[in-house]
Amino acid sequence: MAAPISRKILRSFGSLSALARADSQNLANQSFRASHESSSSIKDGVSSFAHRRFSTSILTPESSDGSFPSDLLSAKLLVPPQREIGLYKDLGYPITNFHQEVKGYMVLDGDVFDVPIRKDIIHRVVRWQLAKRQQGTHSTKTISEVSGTGRKPYRQKGTGRARHGTLRGPQFRGGATMHGPKPRSHAIKVNKKVRRLGLKIALSARAAEGKASLFLSLDFLLIKFACEAPELLVFENLEVPSHKTKNIVNYVNQMENTKKLLLVDGGPIDEKLKLATQNLHYVNVLPSIGLNVYSILLHDTLVMSQDAVNRIVERMHTPINR
């Protein structure tokens, strides 16, 4: 019984192998025909490409020269992928103006504007700033400083009252204050390198979230800056046409999502800019030497001149005096 079954199995395997050989031969013939057709099409394409005229024009959806189908070009603004923060990479940043016109581009140093964000460093620097700026002039009078007589108010015994030796004690009205505050410094110690790192982190955070602004006036380039909140402004300088406050008000109204504005210039503040902003509680002006972490965090928009950026980068790269 086993012998007939094995013969049937062998016959079935033989028929399957014949079918496989036939299929492989058909596939080989088809691949040969396809390769022959593709080679002929490549030759035709090369011959047509050799006579094609090259063009160096920029392709836009409005192009009418017929060099590229306009329906394949998108008119939408391409959003670049979100970058990783804290890689110490130099940033190419647009240089705009108060009218949100791109005047050029500048490179922000990665060692200053792209450092890792550390909230603990920001917390330490802000505490140091707020503690150091306290005047510490609070003072109370001790029992020896209070004005009054040193005479014993009444005899020691026989009155039925509590015994007292002076009326300048803390229990009497107008008397001394015990353990009260005296003039002192509230400053705490924070290393210079930690303070410098805090300023770098604040600038990096503003640059990462699009909260800084840089301006430069260049006449050869005029591009519309399409962005949801163009709040990074860099001017060649922060000069205003006049000392009128309405100019600054109009500039701020043109900025989206701007409630408090900090203007940072490289050198001394221009007198016209100072007069134009002194009546606005939501606009403050600082020189680059006065830029600090707390002021950056207090304002939602940071506006820096090109000179201010260069001076701050130079300051961050200056060796620390120990």
Side-chain angles (χ1 to χ4, degrees):
M1 187 66 184
I5 293 175
S6 62
R7 291 194 190 98
K8 290 179 181 180
I9 292 173
L10 290 176
R11 289 171 190 160
S12 64
F13 276 125
S15 62
L16 290 175
S17 62
L19 287 174
R21 285 194 298 271
D23 292 341
S24 63
Q25 187 174 2
N26 291 334
L27 289 174
N29 294 334
Q30 292 176 3
S31 63
F32 176 76
R33 294 193 195 97
S35 63
H36 181 70
E37 293 174 359
S38 63
S39 62
S40 61
S41 63
I42 290 173
K43 292 178 181 178
D44 296 339
V46 170
S47 61
S48 62
F49 186 75
H51 299 284
R52 186 175 299 174
R53 181 175 59 87
F54 289 98
S55 175
T56 57
S57 60
I58 300 176
L59 298 179
T60 60
E62 291 79 12
S63 300
S64 59
D65 56 354
S67 58
F68 199 82
S70 60
D71 55 344
L72 297 181
L73 293 174
S74 175
K76 296 181 180 179
L77 178 66
L78 298 179
V79 179
Q82 190 171 4
R83 65 177 182 86
E84 296 183 13
I85 305 173
L87 300 180
Y88 299 96
K89 291 184 177 180
D90 294 342
L91 307 178
Y93 224 90
I95 301 173
T96 64
N97 56 17
F98 281 120
H99 302 287
Q100 301 181 8
E101 298 172 348
V102 177
K103 298 298 183 179
Y105 294 87
M106 73 176 303
V107 178
L108 301 182
D109 191 55
D111 295 338
V112 179
F113 291 90
D114 191 25
V115 302
I117 306 300
R118 290 186 55 182
K119 295 181 180 180
D120 59 320
I121 299 295
I122 294 292
H123 177 258
R124 289 178 59 185
V125 175
V126 170
R127 280 191 65 244
W128 169 78
Q129 278 190 241
L130 297 182
K132 190 175 179 60
R133 77 177 188 177
Q134 285 186 252
Q135 291 183 351
T137 56
H138 39 52
S139 180
T140 55
K141 290 184 177 182
T142 62
I143 195 170
S144 62
E145 297 171 341
V146 174
S147 178
T149 180
R151 175 180 174 271
K152 188 175 176 65
Y154 46 82
R155 62 180 180 172
Q156 180 78 359
K157 304 174 77 65
T159 62
R161 299 178 64 184
R163 52 199 175 188
H164 294 292
T166 178
L167 293 178
R168 297 183 296 175
Q171 69 272 31
F172 293 109
R173 181 178 178 272
T177 300
M178 300 305 295
H179 311 294
K182 283 293 185 180
R184 68 182 180 92
S185 173
H186 292 266
I188 57 178
K189 178 177 172 53
V190 175
N191 292 338
K192 290 182 180 179
K193 61 180 180 181
V194 178
R195 295 182 237 160
R196 179 174 291 186
L197 179 59
L199 184 56
K200 291 180 180 179
I201 293 173
L203 293 173
S204 300
R206 283 290 181 261
E209 62 188 5
K211 293 290 184 180
S213 301
L214 308 176
F215 292 107
L216 178 64
S217 56
L218 298 176
D219 298 334
F220 64 89
L221 184 61
L222 181 60
I223 304 174
K224 289 296 182 182
F225 181 47
C227 182
E228 294 183 359
E231 296 170 341
L232 181 56
L233 313 173
V234 177
F235 274 174
E236 184 178 6
N237 50 58
L238 292 180
E239 294 181 358
V240 290
S242 68
H243 65 282
K244 295 293 185 180
T245 305
K246 63 181 180 180
N247 295 330
I248 301 297
V249 173
N250 293 333
Y251 292 153
V252 175
N253 291 336
Q254 291 176 7
M255 302 178 188
E256 299 180 3
N257 303 325
T258 299
K259 295 181 179 180
K260 295 197 69 175
L261 181 65
L262 178 62
L263 302 174
V264 181
D265 203 355
I269 304 301
D270 183 61
E271 191 66 24
K272 291 182 180 179
L273 181 63
K274 188 183 301 183
L275 293 175
T277 58
Q278 65 181 0
N279 288 334
L280 300 176
H281 67 277
Y282 53 87
V283 179
N284 292 315
V285 185
L286 283 177
S288 61
I289 193 64
L291 185 63
N292 57 86
V293 176
Y294 186 69
S295 296
I296 294 175
L297 300 181
L298 198 62
H299 300 79
D300 60 358
T301 302
L302 176 63
V303 179
M304 303 173 67
S305 65
Q306 189 185 16
D307 187 25
V309 172
N310 295 333
R311 291 196 183 197
I312 289 172
V313 171
E314 182 181 0
R315 188 173 108 196
M316 294 296 103
H317 291 164
T318 304
I320 297 176
N321 295 327
R322 300 186 181 276

